[in-house]
C-alpha cells in the first residue's frame, strides 16, 4: 500500500531538514522526487544523490522563488512537464521573531508569501490534475503555531493558521474525487512541535548566553515550556507519517491537522 512507483512527488524546501527527510521517505517508497529549495550546486547534488540512494528512480532539482507567484507558476509548469504532481508537500517555510509593533512590514509580507500564499499557488496548479487522475495527496507542513499562538511570531502564526484553513477548504472541494481503490484526493496538514531542524537555531542561539553555552540545557529549557514529552522530534518521523497519508489506505483522512508535538496542544 506504500508503493509509489510511477508517482511524482514535489516537496518544497527539500534540500534539508524536514523536507529532505520527507523526500527520502517518499523516495524509499518508489516515488520520483522533484527537489526544491534554496541551496548551492553542491547541496543540490548531495540531496539528489541521497534521494536516488533511498530508492527514487529519478530526483531532479526545480527552481522556484516562493515569494513570487510567477516563479511558482514556472515551477509548477516545469514539474507538470516532467510528469505531473501526484503528491505535493508544501514544506518550505521561514520565520522571524520580533514583537508585533517591531516586526518589519517587509518581513511580514515575505513570511506570508512563503508560508501561506505559496501553498495556495502550488495547490491551485496541482489539484485539478489530481482530480482528473482520481488520486492525489497534498500534505501541508503547518506547525503547532497553526493551532495555538506564541508571542513575537505574528506573521508565522498568522500564516500557519491560514494554511490550516486553506487546507480545510481544499479538502472539502476535492473530497468526492476518485474512489477508495485508487485513493481519492486528500489535503491534510501536519503540525510539528519542537523538531531538530535549522529553524529553531535562532531561538537556541538567543538563549545560549543564559546557559553558559550549554546547548542541551537550552533545548531542555525550550521543551519544558511547551512540550510535555520533553523530547524533540526527528525529521524522519514526519517522513513516515507523510508516506502513510499518501497511501490509498488514507483515502478518508482529509481536512485534518495532525499535531506531532509531544502533547503541546493537548494542554
Amino acid at each position: 500500500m506504500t508503493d509509489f512507483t510511477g508517482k511524482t512527488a514535489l516537496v518544497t524546501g527539500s534540500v534539508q531538514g524536514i523536507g529532505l527527510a520527507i523526500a527520502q521517505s517518499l523516495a524509499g517508497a518508489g516515488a520520483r522526487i522533484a527537489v526544491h529549495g534554496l541551496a548551492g550546486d553542491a547541496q543540490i547534488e548531495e540531496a539528489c544523490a541521497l534521494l536516488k540512494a533511498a530508492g527514487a528512480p529519478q530526483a531532479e532539482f526545480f527552481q522556484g522563488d516562493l515569494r513570487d507567484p510567477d516563479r511558482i507558476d514556472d515551477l509548477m509548469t516545469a514539474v507538470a512537464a516532467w510528469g505531473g504532481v501526484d503528491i505535493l508537500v508544501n514544506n518550505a517555510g521561514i520565520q522571524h521573531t520580533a514583537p508585533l509593533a517591531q516586526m518589519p512590514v517587509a518581513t511580514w509580507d515575505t513570511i506570508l508569501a512563503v508560508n501561506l500564499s505559496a501553498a495556495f499557488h502550488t495547490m491551485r496548479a496541482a489539484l485539478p490534475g489530481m482530480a482528473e487522475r482520481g488520486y492525489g495527496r497534498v500534505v501541508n507542513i503547518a506547525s503547532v503555531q497553526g493551532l495555538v499562538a506564541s508571542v513575537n511570531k505574528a506573521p508565522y502564526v498568522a500564516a500557519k493558521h491560514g494554511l490550516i484553513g486553506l487546507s480545510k477548504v481544499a479538502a472539502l472541494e476535492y473530497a468526492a474525487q476518485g474512489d477508495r481503490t485508487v485513493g481519492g484526493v486528500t489535503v491534510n496538514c501536519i503540525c510539528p512541535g519542537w523538531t531538530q531542524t535549522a529553524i529553531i537555531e535562532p531561538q537556541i542561539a538567543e538563549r545560549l548566553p543564559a546557559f553558559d553555552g550549554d546547548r542541551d540545557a537550552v533545548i531542555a529549557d525550550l521543551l519544558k515550556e511547551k512540550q510535555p514529552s520533553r523530547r524533540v522530534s526527528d525529521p524522519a518521523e514526519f517522513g513516515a507519517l507523510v508516506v502513510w497519508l499518501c497511501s490509498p489506505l488514507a483515502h478518508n483522512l482529509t481536512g485534518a491537522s495532525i499535531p506531532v508535538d509531544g502533547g503541546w496542544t493537548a494542554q
Side-chain angles (χ1 to χ4, degrees):
M1 299 301 289
T2 55
D3 181 1
F4 300 144
T5 300
K7 298 287 193 290
T8 299
L10 168 61
V11 184
T12 66
S14 50
V15 292
Q16 63 181 353
I18 290 175
L20 179 57
I22 290 171
Q24 285 179 289
S25 293
L26 291 169
R32 304 162 75 233
I33 309 296
V35 183
H36 167 272
L38 296 175
D41 290 343
Q43 188 176 7
I44 290 169
E45 290 177 8
E46 181 181 2
C48 289
L50 282 172
L51 296 173
K52 290 174 184 176
Q58 291 176 277
E60 185 172 321
F61 182 78
F62 291 83
Q63 294 182 340
D65 186 340
L66 298 186
R67 298 170 297 180
D68 186 336
D70 290 337
R71 300 290 76 77
I72 297 171
D73 285 347
D74 292 343
L75 165 67
M76 299 307 293
T77 298
V79 178
W82 192 57
V85 180
D86 301 294
I87 296 167
L88 170 64
V89 181
N90 284 303
N91 164 76
I94 55 175
Q95 185 179 159
H96 177 77
T97 58
L100 185 94
Q102 299 170 23
M103 185 69 68
V105 172
T107 299
W108 167 274
D109 291 341
T110 299
I111 291 175
L112 266 289
V114 174
N115 293 14
L116 175 57
S117 295
F120 163 76
H121 293 296
T122 59
M123 291 163 65
R124 181 173 175 271
L127 280 164
M130 294 178 180
E132 288 178 7
R133 293 186 291 273
Y135 169 86
R137 293 291 185 268
V138 178
V139 182
N140 291 323
I141 307 304
S143 168
V144 291
Q145 304 292 344
L147 300 169
V148 296
S150 294
V151 298
N152 299 332
K153 297 180 181 179
Y156 189 80
V157 169
K160 295 302 186 180
H161 272 71
L163 183 59
I164 288 174
L166 172 64
S167 301
K168 289 179 179 179
V169 171
L172 292 174
E173 290 185 1
Y174 287 87
Q177 301 298 322
D179 57 36
R180 182 187 302 180
T181 303
V182 178
V185 178
T186 68
V187 183
N188 292 292
C189 286
I190 296 175
C191 301
W194 288 114
T195 305
Q196 193 61 58
T197 64
I199 202 168
I200 70 170
E201 291 303 319
Q203 293 168 81
I204 293 173
E206 183 180 355
R207 298 190 185 205
L208 276 175
F211 289 85
D212 298 322
D214 188 336
R215 179 183 174 83
D216 290 339
V218 171
I219 293 174
D221 187 59
L222 287 169
L223 289 170
K224 76 178 183 181
E225 288 182 6
K226 302 283 189 180
Q227 198 146 305
S229 69
R230 301 200 180 187
R231 299 186 299 271
V232 293
S233 294
D234 184 273
E237 297 163 20
F238 299 100
L241 178 53
V242 169
V243 166
W244 188 82
L245 286 173
C246 292
S247 74
L249 282 172
H251 69 97
N252 250 349
L253 178 53
T254 194
S257 301
I258 304 170
V260 184
D261 62 4
W264 183 334
T265 55
Q267 299 177 94

